[in-house]
Amino acid sequence: MPTSTNCVSFASLGLKEPILRGVRAAGYETPTEIQANAIPKIIAGAELIGLGQTGSGKTAAFGLPMLNLLCGGPPGLRGVIIVPTRELCVQVAENLRVYAQHAGLHVCTAFGGVDMSIQESAFKRGLDIVVACPGRLIDHLERRNISFEHVKMVVLDEADRMLDMGFMPQIRRIFVRLPQERQNLLFSATMPKEVEGLVNDFLPNAERVQIGSRSQSAETISHRFVAVNAHDKQDALERLLQRESGRVLIFVNKKIGCERLGNVLKRSGMPADSIHGDKGAEARYGCLQAFTRGKTRFLVATDVAARGIDVDDIELVVNYDFPLALEDYIHRSGRTGRAGKSGRALSLVAPMEKRLYLVVQAHLQGKDVSSMPSAGRGYGMPKRREGGRPSGGGGGGGGGRSRARHAAASY
Ligand code: AMP
């Protein structure tokens, strides 16, 4: 895989034998670039800020050294990983359980939308690491279901997404309750100002590991843009899907449109479903399971719901609605072409979306788009949250140079 480093082995990074056995169980042969760079530094005790594109192997980059630190120590909550969404929570915990299977360490999850008592019972059966969403973590702390007293390492994953989703005040509340003596790690695809503020407060002496530019698409993804009138999009999508034999993730900007499009595709007999923030935790989990197992092949999603979807072999990402910001385009297309595999991104661009399309196109061609007026977040348009409400989040990022394969737009 192109992102891995051929000359470095996992054994040479300083990981203990039970953790190396976990890495072998995951089927990883060589570390990715971010893993090779970050793991030895974290093992040596450094605080670290890891910046890297989606799908670059960040989970193992922080997960393996955390397990390494806790392996062989006394039981009890010693590792905390904070993530923005339930889906990411489940996926990070699943990955860690694979890596931890020979180390005798217990990984639990804490996210909203499910009964707290189920999570509390799991904590009582054994808890060394908790992977949690901020709100539910605070709830458990306040009810004294968990204690931070013995925490040795804290990871903030997808810090820029936490900011987008308005989690920064909760993150600060969590951080002040942690013990002074601890190792902090922060991972993010981009580094907006507010995240930089958190870094200055809580990781002032952190080392930085940056893989690629701050806002970059994977090189393995090809990008295509098709000009289509807004009212012809549905037909265009149906025709397109009829030609696809693999998994396709389709993005829309609003929850209501997401549900509607999913139903339209289902009614035309396609193996389709939709995932968005108005669906409960169980329904969203079921949706992802069906997609992972191939029961549904076409999944319509909003940005927030799709964050953290790490389903192997998504062949095509379709932007049914054009994203409202360059970074969203990068996150969406990053759902395909993961772990070095090739992938395709196709956008249906209506005339009113052309301005944003030009920003994305310029970025993919390696042009500096930070000075482009009136297009996308940070370029004059407010970032919208799922459901269409403007968010308070700042711009940040953008302007990165991508060497992504880029098919000429047919706009
Ligand atoms: P992540 O960026 O952590 O979400 O990882 C993206 C995908 O790459 C996941 O499916 C991981 O299981 C996979 N992956 C992570 N590290 C490696 C590695 N060293 N070798 C092969 N696959 C990996």
Side-chain angles (χ1 to χ4, degrees), residues 1 10 28-32 35 54-60 95 99 310 312 338-339:
M1 52 193 264
F10 276 107
Y28 303 167
E29 286 169 12
T30 44
T32 64
Q35 290 161 5
T54 55
S56 57
K58 282 188 277 186
T59 313
N95 284 355
Y99 313 147
D310 176 25
D312 281 341
R338 290 171 82 74

Side-chain angles (χ1 to χ4, degrees), residues 137-374:
L137 186 61
I138 292 173
D139 289 346
H140 280 299
L141 270 174
E142 283 174 354
R143 291 179 189 214
R144 298 183 197 280
N145 295 339
I146 52 172
S147 155
F148 278 168
E149 197 183 341
H150 301 294
V151 169
K152 301 262 173 295
M153 188 183 278
V154 182
V155 180
L156 196 60
D157 192 16
E158 303 221 347
D160 51 350
R161 294 288 142 188
M162 302 264 191
L163 170 66
D164 273 359
M165 294 167 78
F167 280 141
M168 280 303 149
Q170 292 177 42
I171 298 299
R172 288 183 177 279
R173 272 173 72 192
I174 292 168
F175 267 60
V176 293
R177 297 176 78 150
L178 286 158
Q180 290 286 320
E181 279 289 305
R182 62 173 201 261
Q183 192 175 354
N184 299 304
L185 310 175
L186 181 144
F187 283 77
S188 196
T190 57
M191 190 54 83
K193 238 166 72 193
E194 206 174 332
V195 174
E196 198 77 66
L198 195 77
V199 165
N200 293 338
D201 288 351
F202 294 104
L203 299 87
N205 304 314
E207 289 189 40
R208 284 182 196 229
V209 170
Q210 183 169 340
I211 306 300
S213 76
R214 282 184 177 199
S215 180
Q216 190 185 57
S217 291
E219 290 173 32
T220 49
I221 304 167
S222 69
H223 301 262
R224 216 180 126 214
F225 303 87
V226 177
V228 60
N229 282 321
H231 56 265
D232 292 332
K233 278 195 179 186
Q234 197 176 301
D235 281 351
L237 178 70
E238 288 187 30
R239 280 200 304 278
L240 182 111
L241 292 179
Q242 275 155 8
R243 294 197 298 269
E244 291 296 325
S245 53
R247 282 198 190 94
V248 183
L249 187 58
I250 302 141
F251 280 96
V252 293
N253 290 345
K254 292 187 180 176
K255 291 186 266 194
I256 187 159
C258 182
E259 182 76 23
R260 195 196 64 82
L261 187 60
N263 288 338
V264 165
L265 297 178
K266 271 193 259 186
R267 274 201 300 274
S268 22
M270 296 196 181
D273 206 350
S274 60
I275 185 165
H276 53 78
D278 278 350
K279 287 197 166 174
E282 271 180 39
R284 287 161 71 170
Y285 184 70
C287 221
L288 278 182
Q289 290 292 97
F291 191 50
T292 310
R293 294 184 181 148
K295 216 171 129 202
T296 50
R297 286 195 295 114
F298 307 144
L299 187 60
V300 188
T302 55
D303 292 281
V304 171
R307 241 157 247 160
I309 289 183
D310 176 25
V311 175
D312 281 341
D313 303 324
I314 292 178
E315 289 190 7
L316 174 67
V317 165
V318 176
N319 287 311
Y320 185 83
D321 291 331
F322 207 76
L324 297 166
L326 173 62
E327 281 128 334
D328 290 334
Y329 182 89
I330 292 160
H331 274 274
R332 288 180 180 189
S333 50
R335 301 296 120 205
T336 182
R338 290 171 82 74
K341 292 180 188 145
S342 64
R344 292 175 291 138
L346 186 147
S347 304
L348 300 174
V349 190
M352 63 182 295
E353 296 168 319
K354 193 173 170 190
R355 215 171 45 180
L356 293 160
Y357 149 75
L358 290 172
V359 173
V360 169
Q361 228 233 17
H363 170 79
L364 293 173
Q365 289 171 344
K367 292 180 188 147
D368 183 1
V369 296
S370 54
S371 59
M372 287 187 75
S374 309

